[in-house]
Amino acid sequence: AQKITQTQPGMFVQEKEAVTLDCTYDTSDPSYGLFWYKQPSSGEMIFLIYQGSYDQQNATEGRYSLNFQKARKSANLVISASQLGDSAMYFCAMREGRYGNQFYFGTGTSLTVIP
Amino acid sequence: DADVTQTPRNRITKTGKRIMLECSQTKGHDRMYWYRQDPGLGLRLIYYSFDVKDINKGEISDGYSVSRQAQAKFSLSLESAIPNQTALYFCATSDPGQGAEDTQYFGPGTRLTVL
């Protein structure tokens, strides 16, 4: 079974609108971390946001927030007030265990922001 | 200056050639990783190292070897390159001492083409 599933290969959003990128995960370990990365066309991987499995509140970092629904095993990324520079690939990732030795990545969602 | 650097950034080689990709970091992190990225498959872990004397295979280690020359340096070698090793290769570092996050920070990537 896939550890991380991103079901949206491509998404479009109007500039200044909000967009949600879906991510579901699969683990039986009670301790894990969830991450989102952005990969612009230049290729680098940029860390955006982190959510720990024991965190009570949803993580937020500027215009990024993580909608963490533990029972549903989902960790959706919400980008508010989309900007043209948000156009990129977005990857969801999980680390199993408190100091787990591997990250598992999803296949990514390509986001295009339309002016 | 970038915290995680990779050399070369681009490389074209021929089938059967030995090639080495190098990674250096100034973040002072103990943990280092090598991933490859293929279109539609996300990132897959090749090897990881938790300190200079620790080397571990990841999901797709066949055809690859690594060397951890120092805390700051982690090299990936393709002993006899083949065309299906054409991919974007990323080095990453992390530091569990920074708390439960253990976020991975990526280098800019090396685009390898095997003809």
Side-chain angles (χ1 to χ4, degrees):
Chain A
Q2 292 289 328
K3 291 285 188 181
I4 294 288
T5 302
Q6 294 180 255
T7 58
Q8 306 155 312
M11 291 280 287
F12 293 86
V13 64
Q14 203 75 35
E15 192 178 8
K16 300 180 184 178
E17 297 292 314
V19 63
T20 297
L21 306 184
D22 294 341
C23 173
T24 58
Y25 59 93
D26 181 30
T27 182
S28 58
D29 197 312
S31 179
Y32 52 90
L34 297 159
F35 303 77
W36 278 92
Y37 287 85
K38 172 183 178 182
Q39 185 178 40
S41 58
S42 52
E44 69 268 33
M45 295 287 286
I46 302 167
F47 166 66
L48 295 178
I49 196 167
Y50 163 81
Q51 179 85 42
S53 59
Y54 296 117
D55 293 342
Q56 295 296 313
Q57 294 189 327
N58 288 342
T60 60
E61 289 288 346
R63 293 186 299 109
Y64 303 109
S65 60
L66 200 153
N67 184 1
F68 181 44
Q69 297 186 46
K70 197 170 185 176
R72 298 179 62 183
K73 294 189 175 180
S74 74
N76 299 338
L77 178 70
V78 181
I79 305 174
S80 62
S82 296
Q83 302 172 357
L84 296 179
D86 294 334
S87 293
M89 284 290 290
Y90 289 82
F91 291 94
C92 180
M94 175 178 68
R95 185 208 70 243
E96 279 186 317
R98 180 167 176 82
Y99 297 121
N101 55 21
Q102 293 195 37
F103 268 42
Y104 299 96
F105 283 83
T107 53
T109 295
S110 175
L111 177 66
T112 302
V113 180
I114 303 167
Chain B
D1 290 340
D3 294 321
V4 185
T5 58
Q6 293 182 231
T7 55
R9 294 292 311 278
N10 291 281
R11 180 72 181 267
I12 300 174
T13 192
K14 295 182 178 180
T15 297
K17 294 291 188 181
R18 184 180 188 275
I19 185 167
M20 179 181 289
L21 309 182
E22 298 186 339
C23 176
S24 295
Q25 53 112 348
T26 58
K27 298 183 79 68
H29 289 174
D30 285 328
R31 296 185 172 189
M32 298 187 73
Y33 310 78
W34 275 105
Y35 291 89
R36 65 176 280 175
Q37 183 181 23
D38 299 278
L41 294 179
L43 276 73
R44 293 181 292 167
L45 183 65
I46 306 172
Y47 271 95
Y48 61 98
S49 169
F50 282 1
D51 62 43
V52 175
K53 296 181 181 179
D54 176 75
I55 301 290
N56 303 280
K57 292 182 177 181
E59 179 187 354
I60 52 163
S61 60
D62 288 348
Y64 302 95
S65 63
V66 292
S67 172
R68 184 80 183 267
Q69 301 97 322
Q71 187 208 33
K73 296 184 181 297
F74 192 35
S75 300
L76 175 73
S77 293
L78 287 68
E79 298 302 325
S80 179
I82 56 177
N84 76 1
Q85 291 178 312
T86 292
L88 182 58
Y89 289 83
F90 285 103
C91 174
T93 75
S94 72
D95 180 9
Q98 292 184 348
E101 287 192 32
D102 197 20
T103 299
Q104 296 199 2
Y105 296 93
F106 286 81
T110 294
R111 193 167 297 277
L112 176 66
T113 302
V114 183
L115 302 176

